[in-house]
Amino acid sequence: MTIEALTAVAADAGDLTVWPASATPLPHGGLAVGGVSLAEAAQRFGTPVYVLDEGEVRGRCRSYRAAFPDAEVLYAAKAFLSRAMVRWVGEEGLGLDVCSAGELELAVTSGFPPERIVLHGNAKSPGDLASALRLGVGRIVIDSRCEIARIAAAVGPGGRQRVLVRVVPGVAAGGHEKIRTGTEGQKFGLSAADGSAQEAVARILDQPRLELAGLHCHIGSQITSVEPYRVALGRMVELMASVREAHDVALPELDLGGGHGIAYRPGEPALDLPALARELRTALADRCAAAGLPVPRLTVEPGRAIAGPAGVAVYRVLAVKRSGGKVFVAVDGGMSDNPRPALYGARYAPRLVGRHSAAGSRTATVVGRHCEAGDVLAVNAELPADVHPGDLLAVPVAGAYQSSMASGYNLVGRPPVVAVHEGAARILLRRETLEDFRHRDIGA
Ligand code: LLP
């Protein structure tokens, strides 16, 4: 291509700041991710399709390892899990945070070392605990008092399981009320303010089958500033100091959970990872020195910040219409593959791919195909005025909590997830078909 043609392609590309680093404009309005044209991927795999950039996932894992060289970094599997994802994060030196026997079994049967896995959950089922103990999970995070005796009994005589206690540090943070987990009055953890956490610590220390490795907190999700983490860290160190005082035990681990926020649309704030790492390291050293405690090993559990920006959802436009002064652009997916707008009012920035449009832009509401008025994928989306059925819309930052939260609503079938890397595409999760629904429905 000539310089002029390249410049025209780049200008056509618009703002790619929230896209994977590999995103490259192609001629005629095309866009490649991981060296694969999104329009070609849509053609080959059908729509809707989730495209996941392996290089972006690996790059993000490496950024974490570089920012937190002395800490343990656990990828939070709930954001997105597949066998390939397990392999990528494992190869990049991360551990895993899982919250069900399903996530745990998938990871271990894919070859992930169980000792690098932490099991969470406010209501672990007998099956979850049985899997954890059978597979030899590294740590179990205790979330309520009744779990202590239950886990100890399941461990059996002669066994010993490492555990953490999940603490409510009393910090309000997170992108939406439904994903704030650091305050009193929500379902997770044991309160430090009312003494429940301290009581759980005492009970665990009395249990020869349990080894208390440390304390855990997860204050919320989609947090874009360092401050709430610093406050939580201070409260957790205070609690560690009081445990030392009461029991003469210096706990070796402090897990501060995940929640690291990312930008979904150009210009939105994201958590500054190097700043977080730097400030937590300094604060931890200072607080521990002041309390006369040895510095515990820090653990962080990012999910969204690793998988989110690596994913792109590609939909085909099925209908365009005007109603009540608004333009509705309806696509072939919706709340069954991305419930986030309906659940949290999440905002996205879709764009046209696969065709050049010379039309000016107009504001449209991108909606899904499901039978609810709340099935909206993007409000106030800026799209070319000539958007029409057959067009492809690509939504960046689709790698976390979309495929993993997809449902079977309206029996539409969950989209495939396709990995792209160095110009090659391969299916990680195949599309759910009508045949799958028929197989599951065994009542006559
Ligand atoms: N650790 C624990 C104990 C967690 O509960 C979570 C997320 C994470 C780590 C990872 O958080 P992340 O770094 O991904 O923010 N479905 C919601 C997010 C729910 C997060 C639940 N817990 C969403 O789509 O925004």
Side-chain angles (χ1 to χ4, degrees), residues 76 78-79 97 120 166 179 188 216 218 220-222 257-260 264 301-305 340 344 400-401 405:
K78 66 206 84 186
D97 141 7
H120 285 281
R166 176 152 179 176
I179 52 175
F188 292 103
H216 174 279
H218 171 75
S221 201
Q222 186 57 4
H260 310 162
Y264 280 86
E301 303 174 338
R304 185 193 315 268
R340 301 194 66 259
Y344 321 113
Y401 303 112
M405 291 176 75

Side-chain angles (χ1 to χ4, degrees), residues 180-429:
R180 289 186 194 132
T181 49
T183 52
E184 311 284 328
Q186 49 75 46
K187 70 174 185 171
F188 292 103
L190 291 153
S191 166
D194 74 2
S196 311
Q198 293 85 335
E199 193 207 334
V201 165
R203 280 173 174 259
I204 294 166
L205 290 172
D206 262 352
Q207 267 291 355
R209 295 177 192 172
L210 301 181
E211 176 188 336
L212 183 61
L215 302 182
H216 174 279
C217 71
H218 171 75
I219 54 179
S221 201
Q222 186 57 4
I223 298 166
T224 52
S225 87
V226 172
E227 191 52 24
Y229 289 100
R230 208 183 358 230
V231 176
L233 181 141
R235 305 233 168 113
M236 297 298 278
V237 173
E238 261 173 42
L239 186 55
M240 286 185 138
S242 77
V243 168
R244 222 268 294 258
E245 183 114 322
H247 306 284
D248 199 24
V249 172
L251 297 172
E253 293 181 23
L254 174 59
D255 185 333
L256 291 181
H260 310 162
I262 57 176
Y264 280 86
R265 294 179 301 161
E268 285 181 354
L271 187 61
D272 178 343
L273 191 56
L276 175 75
R278 207 172 42 240
E279 295 193 30
L280 289 186
R281 197 178 307 123
T282 313
L284 186 60
D286 293 350
R287 295 283 187 147
C288 289
L293 280 175
V295 178
R297 182 169 156 88
L298 192 65
T299 301
V300 289
E301 303 174 338
R304 185 193 315 268
I306 286 179
V312 178
V314 185
Y315 302 97
R316 197 167 293 278
V317 175
L318 296 180
V320 177
K321 73 176 165 197
R322 204 174 261 284
S323 179
K326 287 183 179 175
V327 175
F328 289 94
V329 176
V331 298
D332 55 359
M335 67 193 299
S336 65
D337 68 85
N338 181 8
R340 301 194 66 259
L343 279 173
Y344 321 113
R347 304 283 304 272
Y348 288 86
R351 57 173 287 149
L352 177 72
V353 291
R355 135 175 118 75
H356 170 74
S357 169
S361 90
R362 75 170 170 202
T363 305
T365 306
V366 178
V367 296
R369 56 167 293 173
H370 294 282
C371 301
E372 293 199 19
D375 175 27
V376 172
L377 282 175
V379 291
N380 294 333
E382 285 303 315
L383 291 173
D386 64 352
V387 66
H388 55 69
D391 275 342
L392 291 173
L393 294 189
V395 184
V397 203
Y401 303 112
Q402 293 187 204
S403 172
S404 72
M405 291 176 75
S407 74
Y409 192 30
N410 295 151
L411 300 193
V412 163
R414 289 173 289 176
V417 177
V418 170
V420 290
H421 191 50
E422 295 174 349
R426 66 196 170 92
I427 298 181
L428 302 186
L429 303 180

